[in-house]
C-alpha cells in the first residue's frame, strides 16, 4: 500500500530505527526493493531523482510503482521525489500521485532555501503529501550537481529551519557524500553534531550519501573487469551510531548500482555467448535484492511493516 513519509517515519522515530530510501530507475530495481521489503516485512521508500524521471518517464515510473504496490500489498511504499530542485517536476510529481517530495534548496542562500522550502511545504501539505528539506550540503556527485564540498549543518539554524518551514523530515550534512568515493581522510561521521541537532529537533532526520560500498561487490566488479579506482563507503558501525542518535531515513543508491554492475559483469564473463536480457537482468535483480535486504537489516526496519 502507498504511504506518506510521515506515516513510515513517525514509528521509526518513536522506536529508534531507520527506514531505507532506495533509488529506483527501472523495473528490475523497483522489483528488487519490493521483494526485499516483503522478505524483511519492512516499509520501503522508493526514491526517484529528477534524472530517474527523465530516464524512465514520469508516467512509466508511476505505473511501474502502481504495479509493484498491487503485487506486494503488505509492503508500505513511499514514492518520494529525491533532490527535487525544479518546481515544475515537483508539481508534476504531486499531480501524478507521488506521496512524498524532497525539496533540495541546499545550494541556495539560507534565506532563499528557507522561503522556497516553506512555500513547497505548504503546497505538499495542501495535497496530502509529505516533504523533506535539506540544510547544509552533502558532497559528492549527483546528476546535475557535482563535487560540492560538504558544508556541515549548523544545529541552531536547523532548529529555526524546521520550525519555520514545517518540513516533515530534514536531511542534514554530517560528513557523508554521494557516490562511491566518500572520504579523503578517516571514514567518520560527525556524531557529536548529530546529537546536538537531535536534541533541538523532534522532526525525523535523514542521512544521504550513506552507501556502504561493500568490499565483496568491489572485488566482484574488479575481478570481472571494472576499473573503479579506490571507492570508500560509510562503515556500518557509523551507520548504527547515526541511527542510535536520531537518523530515521537513510538513502542508498550507490550500493544498488554496484550490485547491478558486479552482477552483470560477472554474468557476461561467465556466459560470453549469452544475449537474453532476462538472464543478466534477472541475476542483477537478485543481487540487488540481497544488498537491499542487508541494508534493511542494518537499519532495523525489518518486521515493522
Ligand atoms: O542523490 C543522488 C542519487 O544517487 C541519484 O542520482 O541523480 O544520478 O539519479 P541521479
Ligand atoms: P549514495 O550515493 O551513498 O548511495 O547516496 C544516495 C543518496 O543520498 C540519494 O539521495
Ligand atoms: Zn541524496
Amino acid at each position: 500500500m502507498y504511504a506518506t513519509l510521515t506515516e513510515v517515519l513517525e514509528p521509526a522515530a518513536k522506536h529508534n530505527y531507520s527506514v531505507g530510501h532506495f533509488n529506483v530507475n527501472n523495473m528490475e530495481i523497483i522489483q528488487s526493493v519490493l521483494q526485499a521489503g516483503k522478505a524483511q516485512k519492512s516499509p520501503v521508500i522508493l526514491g526517484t531523482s529528477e534524472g530517474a524521471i527523465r530516464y524512465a518517464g514520469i508516467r512509466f515510473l508511476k505505473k511501474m510503482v502502481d504495479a509493484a504496490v498491487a503485487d506486494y500489498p503488505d509492503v508500505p511504499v513511499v514514492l518520494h521525489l529525491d533532490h527535487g530542485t525544479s518546481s515544475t517536476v515537483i508539481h508534476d510529481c504531486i499531480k501524478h500521485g507521488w506521496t512524498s517530495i524532497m525539496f533540495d534548496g541546499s545550494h541556495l542562500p539560507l534565506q532563499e532555501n528557507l522561503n522556497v522550502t516553506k512555500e513547497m511545504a505548504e503546497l505538499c501539505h495542501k495535497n496530502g503529501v509529505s516533504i523533506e528539506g535539506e540544510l547544509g550540503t552533502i558532497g559528492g556527485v549527483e546528476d546535475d550537481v557535482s563535487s560540492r564540498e560538504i558544508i556541515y549543518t549548523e544545529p541552531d539554524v536547523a532548529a529555526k529551519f524546521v520550525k519555520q518551514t514545517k518540513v516533515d523530515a530534514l536531511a542534514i550534512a554530517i560528513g557523508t557524500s554521494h557516490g562511491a568515493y566518500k572520504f579523503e581522510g578517516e571514514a567518520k561521521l560527525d556524531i557529536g553534531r548529530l546529537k546536538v541537532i537531535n536534541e533541538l529537533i523532534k522532526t525525523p532526520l535523514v542521512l544521504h550519501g550513506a552507501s556502504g560500498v561493500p568490499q565483496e561487490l568491489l572485488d566482484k566488479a574488479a575481478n570481472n573487469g571494472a576499473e573503479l579506482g579506490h571507492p570508500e563507503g560509510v562503515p556500518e558501525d557509523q551507520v548504527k551510531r547515526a541511527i542510535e542518535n536520531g537518523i530515521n531515513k537513510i538513502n542508498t543508491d550507490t550500493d544498488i548500482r554496484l550490485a547491478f554492475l558486479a552482477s552483470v559483469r560477472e554474468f557476461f564473463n561467465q556466459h560470453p555467448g549469452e544475449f537474453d536480457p532476462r538472464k543478466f537482468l534477472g541475476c542483477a535483480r537478485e543481487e540487488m535484492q540481497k544488498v537491499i535486504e542487508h541494508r534493511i537489516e542494518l537499519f532495523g526496519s525489518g518486521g515493522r511493516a
Side-chain angles (χ1 to χ4, degrees):
M1 82 221 64
Y2 275 112
T4 63
L5 195 60
T6 303
E7 284 166 340
V8 300
L9 293 192
E10 259 179 11
K14 196 163 161 214
H15 300 288
N16 274 93
Y17 62 90
S18 257
V19 181
H21 156 135
F22 301 102
N23 283 79
V24 298
N25 296 278
N26 68 8
M27 182 187 79
E28 283 76 13
I29 307 177
I30 293 170
Q31 289 173 332
S32 66
V33 179
L34 267 292
Q35 193 60 38
K38 181 182 171 185
Q40 295 290 329
K41 298 189 172 42
S42 169
V44 294
I45 300 161
L46 301 180
T48 60
S49 66
E50 291 184 352
I53 291 172
R54 276 196 300 276
Y55 172 76
I58 195 160
R59 260 187 302 272
F60 251 95
L61 275 175
K62 182 59 171 47
K63 294 288 179 197
M64 287 192 287
V65 176
D66 283 346
V69 167
D71 279 356
Y72 298 86
D74 298 333
V75 181
V77 176
V78 179
L79 179 54
H80 178 76
L81 173 66
D82 191 25
H83 293 285
T85 54
S86 143
S87 146
T88 311
V89 176
I90 291 171
H91 278 89
D92 266 5
C93 285
I94 294 174
K95 192 175 91 190
H96 281 87
W98 263 241
T99 62
S100 183
I101 297 291
M102 175 187 190
F103 172 69
D104 179 356
S106 60
H107 53 288
L108 300 171
L110 174 62
Q111 192 57 46
E112 205 179 332
N113 183 8
L114 203 148
N115 292 345
V116 186
T117 305
K118 184 168 185 278
E119 191 186 312
M120 291 298 150
E122 282 163 9
L123 171 76
C124 287
H125 291 154
K126 203 170 71 190
N127 287 280
V129 168
S130 305
I131 181 160
E132 172 185 337
E134 179 175 327
L135 192 63
T137 63
I138 296 144
V141 183
E142 284 168 49
D143 228 19
D144 299 327
V145 193
S146 70
S147 297
R148 295 186 302 170
E149 62 171 321
I150 302 173
I151 302 171
Y152 287 76
T153 306
E154 291 299 337
D156 50 337
V157 181
K160 172 180 152 196
F161 188 86
V162 164
K163 191 160 173 243
Q164 294 193 2
T165 59
K166 300 196 167 43
V167 288
D168 304 300
L170 181 69
I172 55 169
I174 54 167
T176 57
S177 57
H178 292 106
Y181 309 90
K182 295 187 187 296
F183 300 99
E184 273 167 10
E186 198 185 353
K188 206 163 178 288
L189 306 185
D190 190 344
I191 299 292
R193 182 180 297 266
L194 169 60
K195 278 186 183 163
V196 179
I197 296 172
N198 192 40
E199 269 159 25
L200 293 176
I201 297 176
K202 293 294 147 255
T203 305
L205 301 174
V206 182
L207 192 62
H208 283 245
S211 273
V213 188
Q215 191 58 45
E216 61 273 21
L217 289 181
L218 295 177
D219 290 345
K220 188 161 153 175
N223 291 339
N224 290 286
E227 292 178 7
L228 298 176
H230 299 287
E232 189 176 15
V234 181
E236 293 195 353
D237 67 303
Q238 295 286 303
V239 171
K240 281 190 192 143
R241 292 200 65 205
I243 297 169
E244 281 159 17
N245 288 287
I247 292 290
N248 296 126
K249 172 178 180 280
I250 298 185
N251 290 21
T252 303
D253 186 1
T254 297
D255 287 356
I256 299 174
R257 295 180 182 197
L258 288 171
F260 203 132
L261 172 87
S263 169
V264 169
R265 279 193 173 275
E266 184 181 71
F267 181 91
F268 283 121
N269 252 358
Q270 292 178 350
H271 308 91
E274 188 58 74
F275 58 94
D276 179 346
R278 292 169 298 188
K279 300 262 174 66
F280 60 86
L281 292 176
C283 283
R285 187 169 55 187
E286 279 171 27
E287 189 74 49
M288 291 188 285
Q289 183 190 333
K290 280 189 217 148
V291 166
I292 294 161
E293 283 201 50
H294 181 75
R295 300 292 286 171
I296 290 174
E297 281 167 5
L298 176 65
F299 301 161
S301 67
R304 302 285 184 174

